[in-house]
Amino acid sequence: MEERIDVFLELFREPLPDHLVEIEAYARENNVPVIGRGTGDIIRYYLRSVAPENVLEIGTAIGYSALFMREYLSVNAHITTIEKIESRYTLAENNFKKYDKDNKITLIKEDAGDAIEKLRDNGNKYGVIFLDAAKGQYPAYLPVLVDLLETGGVIITDNIFHNGAVINSRYAVTQRDRTIHDRLREYMKDISEHEGLNTLILPVEDGVAICQKK
Ligand code: SAM
């Protein structure tokens, strides 16, 4: 049913530009995890409704979602995106050279934990933050991300169900995944109970959380 709904929804989606279709296909063939079309719908919706001047992405991979977001930015808006793995950010850089000719995207090649603290300490603010990396770190990142967010801005977090495993008892997940399982549950509790955030958790694809700063 889910697959059929997705095929059906595709009829109503704005077509993706050719370069994004190509990068998406490359990612699929090379096992690079990138946002699905459903998560893309949510991001597009918020980019248009919030119309942020500045967007922050944590987890660039090969640049697909940053280039996707670039399509829906207002004229003078800018994206800062963070990736720490060299093999990934090298491909992202090549994609940005080809498809971000007017330099709307800045790539930070660094661990996200360090990078977001520096961005905060330098007084940066963002209208939309897309969180798509290092799931085990999400509870630790949250206070910094809330500081980085403008009032009325949103944090969009992808894959919070961790391939569905988050709904299982922690004893049903493998030892290796237990820390991520615990941290994602902690993150869901933190964003749901946070007094400064209005939170919506959507069962779209692998779970998407939207937190708007009050
Ligand atoms: N947002 C991308 C897209 O949809 O095109 C996909 C991002 S992928 C799911 C997650 C990325 O986060 C990986 O490329 C991984 O190397 C990166 N990552 C994981 N932990 C990180 C960290 N602590 N700092 C920076 N990047 C990190």
Side-chain angles (χ1 to χ4, degrees):
M1 191 58 167
E2 254 174 55
E3 268 175 35
R4 288 181 58 206
I5 288 177
D6 213 46
V7 171
F8 178 72
L9 286 179
E10 202 53 38
L11 299 173
F12 303 97
R13 283 189 178 120
E14 288 172 38
L16 283 178
D18 290 348
H19 68 283
L20 288 178
V21 175
E22 269 169 41
I23 301 171
E24 187 189 44
Y26 174 92
R28 204 177 308 121
E29 279 157 27
N30 293 279
N31 297 319
V32 178
V34 299
I35 52 163
R37 299 275 174 106
T39 302
D41 290 344
I42 293 171
I43 294 173
R44 184 195 300 107
Y45 175 85
Y46 278 100
L47 288 175
R48 284 185 173 150
S49 61
V50 174
E53 275 176 29
N54 288 296
V55 174
L56 175 64
E57 173 180 68
I58 297 149
T60 316
I62 61 172
Y64 174 78
S65 52
L67 287 166
F68 174 87
M69 292 194 285
R70 188 187 177 287
E71 293 294 309
Y72 309 105
L73 291 183
S74 33
V75 187
N76 292 319
H78 193 84
I79 299 173
T80 300
T81 182
I82 308 169
E83 173 60 54
K84 71 169 181 181
I85 294 185
E86 190 177 354
S87 59
R88 294 251 163 108
Y89 63 61
T90 304
L91 289 172
E93 261 176 331
N94 288 338
N95 283 326
F96 296 157
K97 263 184 211 138
K98 277 197 239 166
Y99 305 118
D100 178 41
K101 296 276 187 211
D102 51 357
N103 300 319
K104 280 178 178 284
I105 304 174
T106 300
L107 175 63
I108 299 180
K109 304 175 214 171
E110 196 182 356
D111 180 80
D114 298 332
I116 59 174
E117 285 191 7
K118 285 184 205 159
L119 290 170
R120 178 191 56 187
D121 296 347
N122 288 334
N124 292 283
K125 290 280 182 194
Y126 300 89
V128 169
I129 298 177
F130 178 47
L131 178 55
D132 193 21
K135 292 176 186 39
Q137 299 302 317
Y138 288 2
Y141 290 173
L142 185 64
V144 186
L145 298 183
V146 172
D147 285 348
L148 284 166
L149 199 60
E150 288 163 0
T151 302
V154 292
I155 304 171
I156 302 171
T157 312
D158 200 16
N159 303 114
I160 52 163
F161 295 164
H162 197 223
N163 301 319
V166 84
I167 66 168
N168 296 332
S169 145
R170 74 187 298 268
Y171 300 105
V173 295
T174 58
Q175 187 79 34
R176 193 176 58 96
D177 281 344
R178 238 174 239 171
T179 307
I180 291 185
H181 178 275
D182 291 352
R183 298 267 173 85
L184 279 175
R185 283 212 180 181
E186 184 187 341
Y187 181 70
M188 288 168 77
K189 190 171 179 329
D190 290 350
I191 56 176
S192 303
E193 294 178 356
H194 198 294
E195 287 189 352
L197 297 174
N198 183 19
T199 292
L200 173 66
I201 295 176
L202 292 172
V204 171
E205 292 177 354
D206 192 26
V208 179
I210 294 149
C211 306
Q212 184 159 39
K213 188 165 174 174
K214 293 181 193 165

